[in-house]
């Protein structure tokens, strides 16, 4: 099969993934990953993938991480009591510390344990909406945990990526260079100050803000601003040796911090991303998975990974009890936080490119990401129905 014909199959798969996923009762991103697995196993063996496919997948990866940062809702954090904020932060910190502890006790790689502890709220919001409780106080508390977890996940992924190259701060400074780090910090400081000044400007001239975020603008200035910010942060991160997708994630968070009412802009970006580019990334990721190592022992490792994902979120549960959760709510919250499909796929790709994971470990994590997104939302719905 030629590369051009394979590209045609990929585009067709991106178009058919939503109805097929709904037919099989699975989240659409999971369906796209599974379709990519099938394409790679049956059609792409020995076929050189077209360069345009890699470009579109990388663009989709950047946009996925930018949208992951943009979905961090700082409005929820502003409404939180200080006492609850402390306990929720301790819970998130406890998750990552517990992941490191379990890694040492069970002989799991530290990078693998960190990826199992990542938090992403994209699919969780869909589950809460499907359960009919998105507007309840419990759902808002879980979303706050998700926001804190996503912020911690950004720093966790950055630390993991750097651990592959540097041993300590002095090594980092020698190889990257103090000047490069200075310019990176200066870039984000100037970006923060620019948005602060822009906030004051929009307060005086709110019609400009409406044009960027709400109104239909023929020149799409809001989209242009978002993509320019995403690429600028990605380039600056790459210049100092960081993964460009981490810069895109941080850029999305900065934009989310200043645009408190960003629903319309986020919807436009999501339509562009999830309508085409991000499905290409998930399909391309699935095509890159080698299924030749799939055996009974590997499936056992996937089951172990699923148990660890739940255990990592249950170990610090006492902090949730101190933060106002009831016991059954704490267990339900752990289930809802236990399927970070988006960031788990991203973290696995980052770790694999940094040679922190071998192909077998990466396959375990990708399968665990897919299965957790099928099993844990179903378990959360069953538990809520039982508790009612």
């Amino acid at each position: 099969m030629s590369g051009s014909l394979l590209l045609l199959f990929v585009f067709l798969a991106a178009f058919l993934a939503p109805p097929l996923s709904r037919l099989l009762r699975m989240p659409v991103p999971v369906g796209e990953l599974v379709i990519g697995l099938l394409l790679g196993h049956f059609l792409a063996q020995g076929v050189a993938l077209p360069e345009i496919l890699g470009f579109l997948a990388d663009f989709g990866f950047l946009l996925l991480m930018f949208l992951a940062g943009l979905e961090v809702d700082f409005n929820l954090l502003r409404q939180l009591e200080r006492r609850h904020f402390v306990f929720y932060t301790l819970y998130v910190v406890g998750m990552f510390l517990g992941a490191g502890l379990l890694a040492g006790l069970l002989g799991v790689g530290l990078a693998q344990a960190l990826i199992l502890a990542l938090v992403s709220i994209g699919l969780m919001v869909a589950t809460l909406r499907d359960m009919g409780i998105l507007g309840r106080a419990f759902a808002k508390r879980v979303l706050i945990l998700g926001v804190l977890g996503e912020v911690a996940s950004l720093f966790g992924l950055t630390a993991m990526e750097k651990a592959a190259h540097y041993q300590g701060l002095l090594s980092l400074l020698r190889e990257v260079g103090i000047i490069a780090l200075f310019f990176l910090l200066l870039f984000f400081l100037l970006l923060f100050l620019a948005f602060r000044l822009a906030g004051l400007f929009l307060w005086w001239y709110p019609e400009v803000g409406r044009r960027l975020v709400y109104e239909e603008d023929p020149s799409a200035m809001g989209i242009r601003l978002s993509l320019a910010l995403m690429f600028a942060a990605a380039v600056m991160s790459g210049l100092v040796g960081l993964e460009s997708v981490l810069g895109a994630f941080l850029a999305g968070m900065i934009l989310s911090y200043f645009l408190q009412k960003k629903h319309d802009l986020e919807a436009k970006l999501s339509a562009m991303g999830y309508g085409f580019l991000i499905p290409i990334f998930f399909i391309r990721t699935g095509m890159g998975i080698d299924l030749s190592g799939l055996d009974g022992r590997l499936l056992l490792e996937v089951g172990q990974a699923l148990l660890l994902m739940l255990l990592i979120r249950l170990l610090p549960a006492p902090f949730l009890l101190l933060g106002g959760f009831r016991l059954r709510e704490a267990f339900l919250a752990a289930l809802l936080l236990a399927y970070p499909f988006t960031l788990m796929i991203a973290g696995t790709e980052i770790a694999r490119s940094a040679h922190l994971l071998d192909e077998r470990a990466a396959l375990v994590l990708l399968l665990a990401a897919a299965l957790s997104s099928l099993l844990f939302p179903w378990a959360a719905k069953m538990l809520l129905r039982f508790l009612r």
Side-chain angles (χ1 to χ4, degrees), residues 81-377:
E81 295 180 16
R82 180 172 297 181
R83 182 175 67 89
H84 288 166
F85 176 80
V86 171
F87 287 126
Y88 292 176
T89 302
L90 289 174
Y91 172 80
V92 172
V93 172
M95 279 176 45
F96 287 94
L97 292 179
L101 177 64
L102 290 173
L105 293 176
L106 302 177
V108 178
L110 191 59
Q112 192 171 357
L114 175 64
I115 292 171
L116 293 174
L118 295 175
V119 175
S120 179
I121 66 175
L123 290 181
M124 183 179 70
V125 171
T127 303
L128 291 170
R129 186 181 295 112
D130 193 36
M131 294 164 69
I133 61 172
L134 187 58
R136 296 187 185 180
F138 165 75
K140 291 181 179 179
R141 293 200 300 270
V142 176
L143 286 173
I144 290 170
L145 288 173
V147 169
L148 293 171
E150 278 201 325
V151 174
S153 297
L154 167 66
F155 292 105
L157 287 173
T158 305
M160 179 189 70
E161 197 271 335
K162 289 294 99 184
H165 305 289
Y166 310 112
Q167 299 293 328
L169 179 61
L170 291 179
S171 175
L172 174 65
L173 293 176
R174 278 197 303 269
E175 190 153 344
V176 173
I178 297 177
I179 295 177
L181 285 176
F182 169 77
F183 277 113
L184 178 69
L185 293 174
L186 180 63
F187 168 74
F188 283 111
L189 177 62
L190 291 176
L191 194 62
F192 186 87
L193 291 176
F195 270 101
R196 177 67 69 180
L197 293 174
L200 293 174
F201 176 79
L202 294 176
W203 186 80
W204 284 101
Y205 302 99
E207 66 277 2
V208 178
R210 285 194 295 270
R211 183 183 177 190
L212 285 175
V213 181
Y214 303 111
E215 297 179 356
E216 291 296 332
D217 180 13
S219 57
M221 290 303 297
I223 302 294
R224 295 181 190 220
L225 171 66
S226 301
L227 293 181
L229 176 61
M230 180 188 77
F231 282 117
V235 169
M236 289 299 297
S237 297
L239 287 176
V240 297
L242 291 173
E243 285 286 341
S244 57
V245 292
L246 297 176
F249 189 14
L250 184 57
M253 286 176 53
I254 292 174
L255 188 62
S256 176
Y257 179 81
F258 285 98
L259 294 181
Q260 298 182 24
K261 297 179 180 179
K262 58 182 188 297
H263 180 267
D264 287 356
L265 177 61
E266 189 174 3
K268 295 174 185 176
L269 289 168
S270 295
M272 180 177 67
Y274 288 103
F276 179 65
L277 291 168
I278 294 173
I280 298 297
F281 164 69
F282 283 130
I283 292 171
R284 174 65 184 84
T285 300
M287 292 172 65
I289 298 174
D290 184 8
L291 293 177
S292 60
L294 189 62
D295 52 28
R297 184 180 175 187
L298 186 136
L299 292 177
L300 190 63
E301 292 177 15
V302 172
Q304 180 188 34
L306 291 171
L307 290 175
L308 284 176
M309 290 173 72
L310 190 56
L311 186 59
I312 285 169
R313 288 152 179 83
L314 287 174
L315 282 176
F319 291 117
L320 294 183
L321 301 179
L322 294 172
F325 283 77
R326 290 177 290 178
L327 183 61
R328 58 187 183 183
E329 289 179 337
F331 188 79
L332 183 57
L335 274 175
L336 290 167
L337 292 168
Y339 46 99
F341 181 81
T342 300
L343 284 189
M344 202 166 170
I345 297 295
T348 302
E349 287 297 297
I350 291 172
R352 186 160 59 173
S353 65
H355 306 293
L356 292 172
L357 294 174
D358 56 26
E359 289 301 318
R360 184 180 180 87
L363 179 56
V364 168
L365 289 173
L366 291 172
L367 291 177
L371 288 176
S372 66
S373 300
L374 297 174
L375 297 176
F376 290 148

Side-chain angles (χ1 to χ4, degrees), residues 9-20 22 32 275-276 279-280 283:
F9 274 105
V10 170
F11 292 153
L12 183 62
F15 172 70
L16 294 176
L20 289 176
R22 284 191 289 269
E32 290 161 352
F276 179 65
I280 298 297
I283 292 171

